[in-house]
Amino acid sequence: MLVNLFSPRGIPADYRHQQGFGVNTYKWVDAHGETRLVKYHWLPTCGVASMTEADAAAVQADDLGHASKDLFDAIERGEYPEWELHVQMMDDHDHPELDFDPLDDTKVWPEEMFPPRKVGTLQLNRNVANNFAENEQISFGTGVLVDGLDFSDDKMLVGRTFSYSDTQRYRVGPNYLQLPVNAPRNGPPATNQRDGQMTYVVDTGGENPHVNYEPSAMGGLTEADYPHPDEQGPELTGRLTRARLPRTNDYAQAGERFLLMQDWERDDLVGNLVANIGEATDEVRRRMVWHLFLCEDELGRRVGEGLGITADDVRDLTPLETQTLDDGERKRLENLGANGPRDVEGHTMTHCVPNEHRRVPG
């Protein structure tokens, strides 16, 4: 995440040229209860374009809302922005053959192993008529699902599923799903709730409108049938635990991403890391250079040069108490700064599509 964020990929040129990536892993469920793990990707049809920090500073000096204005103006001109929706799929089990946990939100799935499949296209073909009604009251949440989509055991998704809906109930109101911008397109919402802020419909369907609980012998609401069996996916056995993920592998994908970047992206990443890490204490600076050497020799060396820190200066640092290094990471630590570049031949990572450098004139 840090290698991606501090590179130009963290500063899209505008919204039309921005990729989307669902961090969380969901499940697709068929009518027989068979499941597949899925990750979603949005790819702009007009291509990906980013700015360096210097480019962004120059743009923001004149227009703080440049990305919103660009999107609005493009739609008004009839140049409707489009994104292709791609899905990666994986069999629903632990995948011991991988060197990372597929439900770890800090990891991506290699595309040569799990190729993205195009499943649809999103087009923005009109601007909102009322910004508050159609924009400010939008209430996204990971817990609002359609048939055939379900939650995986992704730890962060489990937390978000409660917190996002709870936040929208607090921010907008308990009946936020009744608002047109949040309601289903093909039918009225049916939450089995009664009254509260912004209520303007009552769940009906031939039931007794005076009974808002179930089950009831007086014709109250009844829960709809699920479109898939209650039992789904693989059969699991084990103990409930609060232990850390066993396959953390914190450094490999960061190093691979660095090597798969374009030259201008690597240059900007190094400059951003040097500038920001340089504001920290000496202890933090040394530890960050240690981390970056474990990611990739060149990344650690170049950031270290900018901070005046070499591999020898941090070689004696021991792993953090919360870290558990695997055999490969311990070997890299023993040979810190002289491991050679990682092998990325034939490797394709999420977000490593070509990135246009959107330079600012002057």
Side-chain angles (χ1 to χ4, degrees), residues 135-158:
N135 192 351
E136 293 297 329
Q137 292 189 124
I138 289 178
S139 302
F140 295 112
T142 60
V144 182
L145 306 182
V146 298
D147 294 346
L149 182 62
D150 211 338
F151 310 109
S152 73
D153 296 323
D154 180 335
K155 291 184 177 183
M156 184 181 291
L157 178 59
V158 172

Side-chain angles (χ1 to χ4, degrees), residues 2 5-7 11 53 268-282 284-285 288 292 303 306-307:
L2 289 177
L5 179 65
F6 279 82
S7 79
I11 311 180
E53 184 179 15
D268 194 56
L269 168 66
V270 170
N272 290 337
L273 289 175
V274 169
N276 285 272
I277 297 174
E279 298 291 325
T281 63
D282 181 64
V284 173
R285 290 197 297 267
M288 286 304 301
L292 296 175
V303 174
L307 298 172

